[in-house]
């Protein structure tokens, strides 16, 4: 009986949390589209989310492309399908690994930083201070981050796609003995618009999810340094899980026929 | 004084109640503040002083009752002001709540730039003038909050609160975290600023020395209600055992507070 009760309580708490998140998201969206707009903040967040994530995302992409080529080679050699490597690399990177890995890396970097910054502002009453100084904290803090995250993430993923394919190219040509020109030719032939577009749509959604979770957990953090620490952890974990969840459904939307 | 009483009150609180879970923090609180009043609300830690202030600022929504500031409900006031670009309320937070990411002059002129769209150059000049009025030199303007001492942060916070020349000033624990000398200086600064602005001031504190210096009128919050309200000079003769115990800081008396640490 006790176990059942705690299960029920956990489930209700979960539903309440989902409800709060949805209300927060809708309120954020509503206030994002209404003036005033803080364009300089959008610019700053774009640099923070996009530009400063480039090294992390680039490194992730290049090693992923490299290992993809290597693994495919050793796997496909069993049924002499090594020639499919360019296709495998480009399709896997653009459809899946580019957006997902870039998203996860950005979740770790950006959602954590946002939750910590906004959370600290919350516990030191800076968010209350914003309100008393005629500023809507949603428009000032949340909206620029959501806009920047949603817009800049596709660009970041495009860069990751290119670097990832380049990683596959490097390993294929310099280690596995492929001909560079024919590798590129095969890559271009295999690539379809839909592969890239679906990846970029995912990227935009992931950018929104990551920044939303960072803002949500920061905005609702309570109780000093410990609360901010908890908000940071929750932001990264929930952003990552939601991202993987949405990844499946967007894939289904694009490719399940 | 009689003339003042004929005017409608600047702030009118009626039957204000607010609970968190099962804990009833405010239980039907009534309060009136007239133009030019300087009221200090005293009360123990956890007596609901901050909750009252947050309700007045429109940051918390009361469960029952209403707060009117110049006839406008408080929770709507702050949004309406934002749209009209008016500045009616200034607030000095307990730990100043300065924006870490902005330097001092941008902090001070934040409200001006947001509400009136003042240009950066003009805002900086106004900020430096406001800093001077709280006893800070112009070279502080370029520093960041992390580089300031507690007393300086408080001064900057006060400069920020008065920068928009508000009609009402809310002050949360003016002396918290300051040494007695610095606390005294901040109190005098607050009194001077309030007089200069001709503002209505509402301060919450549990520091009796500070309360006596700032207030013209005092009220005590206990168990969600104001149990005493009167001119500061009469508080010694309040005849109220709760007030007596509190202002003299006696551990025994009718207030069986949270000495055991139970909330």
């Amino acid at each position: 009986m006790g176990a059942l009760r705690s299960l029920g309580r956990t489930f209700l708490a979960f539903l309440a949390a989902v409800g709060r998140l949805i209300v927060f998201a809708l309120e954020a969206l509503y206030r994002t589209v209404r003036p005033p707009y803080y364009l300089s903040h959008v610019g700053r967040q774009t640099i923070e989310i996009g530009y400063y994530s480039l090294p992390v995302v680039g490194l992730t992409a290049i090693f992923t492309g490299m290992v993809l080529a290597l693994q495919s080679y050793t796997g496909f050699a069993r049924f002499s399908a090594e020639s499919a490597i360019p296709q495998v690399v480009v399709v896997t990177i653009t459809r899946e690994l580019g957006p997902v890995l870039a998203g996860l890396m950005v979740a770790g970097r950006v959602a954590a930083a946002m939750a910590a910054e906004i959370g600290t502002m919350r516990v030191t009453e800076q968010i209350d201070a914003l309100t008393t100084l005629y500023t809507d904290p949603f428009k000032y803090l949340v909206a620029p981050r959501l806009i920047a995250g949603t817009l800049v993430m596709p660009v970041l993923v495009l860069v990751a796609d290119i670097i990832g394919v380049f990683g596959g190219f490097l390993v294929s040509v310099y280690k596995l003995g492929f001909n560079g020109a024919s590798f590129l030719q095969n890559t271009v032939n295999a690539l379809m618009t839909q592969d890239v577009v679906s990846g970029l749509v995912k990227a935009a959604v992931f950018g929104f999810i990551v920044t939303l979770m960072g803002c949500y957990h920061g905005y609702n953090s309570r109780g000093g340094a410990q609360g901010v620490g908890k908000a940071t952890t929750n932001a990264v974990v929930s952003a990552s899980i939601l991202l993987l969840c949405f990844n499946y459904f967007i894939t289904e939307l694009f490719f399940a026929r | 004084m009689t003339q003042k009483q004929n005017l409608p009150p600047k702030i009118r609180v009626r039957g204000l109640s607010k609970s968190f879970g099962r804990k009833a923090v405010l239980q039907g609180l009534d309060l009136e503040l007239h133009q030019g009043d300087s009221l200090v609300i005293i009360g123990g830690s956890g007596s609901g002083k901050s909750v009252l202030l947050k309700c007045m600022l429109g940051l918390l929504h009361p469960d029952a009752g209403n707060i009117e500031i110049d006839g406008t409900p408080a929770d709507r006031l702050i949004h309406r002001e934002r749209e009209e670009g008016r500045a009616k309320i200034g607030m000095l937070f307990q730990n100043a709540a300065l924006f870490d990411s902005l330097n001092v002059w941008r902090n001070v002129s934040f409200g001006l730039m947001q509400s009136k769209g003042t240009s950066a150059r003009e805002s900086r000049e106004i900020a430096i003038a406001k800093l001077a009025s709280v006893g800070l030199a112009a070279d502080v303007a370029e520093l960041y909050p992390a580089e300031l001492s507690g007393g300086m942060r408080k001064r900057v916070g006060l400069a920020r609160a008065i920068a928009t020349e508000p009609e009402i000033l809310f002050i949360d624990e003016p002396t918290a975290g300051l040494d007695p000398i610095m606390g005294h200086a901040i109190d005098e600064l607050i009194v001077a600023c309030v007089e200069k602005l001709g503002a209505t001031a509402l301060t919450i504190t549990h520091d009796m020395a500070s309360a006596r210096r700032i207030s013209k009128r005092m009220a005590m919050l206990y168990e969600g209600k104001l149990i005493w309200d009167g001119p500061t000079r009469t508080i010694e003769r309040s005849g109220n055992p709760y007030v007596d115990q509190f202002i003299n800081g006696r551990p025994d008396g009718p207030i069986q507070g949270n000495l055991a640490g139970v909330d």
Side-chain angles (χ1 to χ4, degrees):
Chain A
M1 205 56 193
L4 214 59
R5 190 182 298 147
S6 75
L7 186 72
R9 196 177 296 137
T10 313
F11 186 64
L12 285 179
F14 170 74
L15 289 184
V18 171
R20 274 197 300 273
L21 176 62
I22 291 173
V23 168
F24 183 90
L26 291 178
E27 182 150 20
L29 280 176
Y30 173 70
R31 298 210 215 170
T32 297
V33 296
R34 283 164 57 97
Y37 310 109
Y38 295 93
L39 291 180
S40 64
H41 286 235
V42 177
R44 198 177 311 155
Q45 290 302 325
T46 304
I47 291 172
E48 188 62 45
I49 301 168
Y51 185 71
Y52 290 124
S53 295
L54 275 176
V56 180
V57 169
L59 281 172
T60 312
I62 198 159
F63 282 110
T64 307
M66 284 163 72
V67 84
L68 200 58
L70 197 59
Q71 283 283 22
S72 314
Y73 183 80
T74 49
F76 287 7
R78 290 181 205 156
F79 29 93
S80 14
E82 298 96 325
S83 62
I85 291 179
Q87 290 92 316
V88 169
V89 168
V90 75
V91 170
T92 319
I93 291 278
T94 52
R95 279 191 186 185
E96 273 304 317
L97 296 181
V100 169
L101 291 179
L104 289 176
M105 297 314 282
V106 172
R109 225 186 71 79
V110 172
M114 281 180 185
E117 186 181 350
I118 297 179
T120 306
M121 290 186 75
R122 163 63 73 198
V123 299
T124 56
E125 297 187 303
Q126 290 179 52
I127 292 183
D128 291 345
L130 275 177
T131 312
T132 64
L133 292 165
Y134 319 106
T135 306
D136 184 338
F138 269 87
K139 286 175 189 158
Y140 188 80
L141 293 174
V142 178
R145 285 169 167 81
L146 291 181
I147 294 170
T150 312
L151 292 184
V152 83
M153 201 56 201
V155 181
L156 210 52
V157 166
L158 205 57
V159 173
D161 286 350
I162 294 165
I163 295 178
V165 172
F166 179 64
F169 174 86
L170 283 182
V171 169
S172 304
V173 172
Y174 293 103
K175 190 166 169 63
L176 307 176
F178 277 71
N179 176 291
S182 70
F183 183 96
L184 287 182
Q185 189 60 50
N186 283 338
T187 302
V188 172
N189 288 345
L191 193 61
M192 307 232 285
T193 315
Q194 201 187 17
D195 298 333
V196 179
V197 169
S198 73
L200 297 187
V201 169
K202 282 181 180 181
V205 174
F206 296 170
F208 181 78
I209 290 174
V210 166
T211 44
L212 179 72
M213 296 321 283
C215 293
Y216 172 76
H217 287 285
Y219 200 84
N220 291 302
S221 65
R222 291 278 177 275
Q226 202 182 7
V228 175
K230 212 169 126 193
T232 311
T233 312
N234 287 345
V236 177
V237 171
S238 58
S240 306
I241 290 175
L242 268 183
L243 185 153
L244 293 171
C245 205
F246 272 79
N247 180 44
Y248 175 80
F249 290 108
I250 300 171
T251 308
E252 193 170 282
L253 216 63
F254 269 94
F255 298 109
R257 291 275 181 268
Chain B
M1 200 66 187
T2 45
Q3 197 188 355
K4 251 182 227 168
Q5 244 111 52
N6 294 333
L7 291 169
K10 197 82 182 155
I11 302 176
R12 185 203 299 267
V13 181
R14 283 271 167 276
L16 187 69
S17 296
K18 177 77 189 171
S19 305
F20 294 97
R22 277 183 215 147
K23 188 169 160 58
V25 179
L26 298 176
Q27 307 174 35
L29 183 141
D30 298 317
L31 176 68
E32 274 187 10
L33 236 82
H34 289 269
Q35 170 71 40
D37 263 354
S38 180
L39 172 69
V40 170
I41 295 182
I42 56 174
S45 310
S47 61
K49 304 189 296 290
S50 300
V51 174
L52 173 63
L53 209 54
K54 288 205 163 146
C55 287
M56 287 190 171
L57 286 166
L59 296 170
L60 283 177
H61 296 284
D63 301 334
N66 57 62
I67 302 165
E68 285 179 2
I69 295 175
D70 274 344
T72 310
D75 53 347
R76 246 187 284 153
L77 183 75
I78 219 144
H79 301 285
R80 183 184 291 184
E81 275 189 349
R82 205 184 281 143
E83 276 156 22
E84 292 176 1
R86 259 178 331 138
K88 185 161 272 183
I89 294 175
M91 166 85 193
L92 173 55
F93 286 88
Q94 190 169 347
N95 294 310
L98 302 179
F99 305 123
D100 305 317
S101 56
L102 302 177
N103 63 20
V104 165
W105 76 260
R106 282 187 185 276
N107 259 290
V108 173
S109 57
F110 191 90
L112 279 173
M113 292 172 92
Q114 294 300 329
S115 64
K116 300 202 175 86
T118 319
S119 72
R121 179 194 293 263
E122 197 188 333
S123 300
R124 191 170 180 278
E125 279 165 18
I126 296 172
I128 287 173
K130 295 293 173 191
L131 286 171
S133 71
V134 296
L136 289 173
D139 54 354
V140 176
E142 302 297 334
L143 298 178
Y144 279 82
E147 301 169 274
L148 304 178
S149 71
M152 285 163 93
R153 292 173 71 95
K154 209 79 163 193
R155 283 172 197 257
V156 174
L158 183 60
R160 184 174 73 178
I162 61 171
T164 50
E165 309 201 329
E167 295 168 28
I168 299 167
L169 201 56
F170 290 120
I171 302 158
D172 185 2
E173 302 279 2
T175 56
L178 300 179
D179 67 64
I181 299 170
M182 185 62 76
H184 197 140
I186 293 290
D187 286 341
E188 284 180 352
L189 210 50
I190 288 171
V191 171
C193 286
V194 169
E195 259 166 29
K196 201 167 150 202
L197 285 171
T200 308
L202 177 72
T203 307
I204 59 173
T205 187
H206 51 232
D207 178 349
M208 279 312 298
S210 165
R212 285 195 180 92
R213 283 193 292 262
I214 293 178
S215 64
K216 294 178 191 164
R217 181 182 146 199
M218 265 200 234
M220 178 155 165
L221 183 62
Y222 182 70
E223 294 200 327
K225 282 185 183 137
L226 293 180
I227 55 164
W228 188 83
D229 186 345
T232 302
R233 59 180 185 283
T234 64
I235 195 162
E236 308 294 343
R237 292 167 271 127
S238 66
N240 184 315
Y242 294 90
V243 175
D244 262 354
Q245 185 192 347
F246 189 84
I247 65 174
N248 295 308
R250 280 194 297 264
D252 41 49
I255 305 175
Q256 292 301 323
N258 298 326
L259 289 180
V262 183
D263 217 12

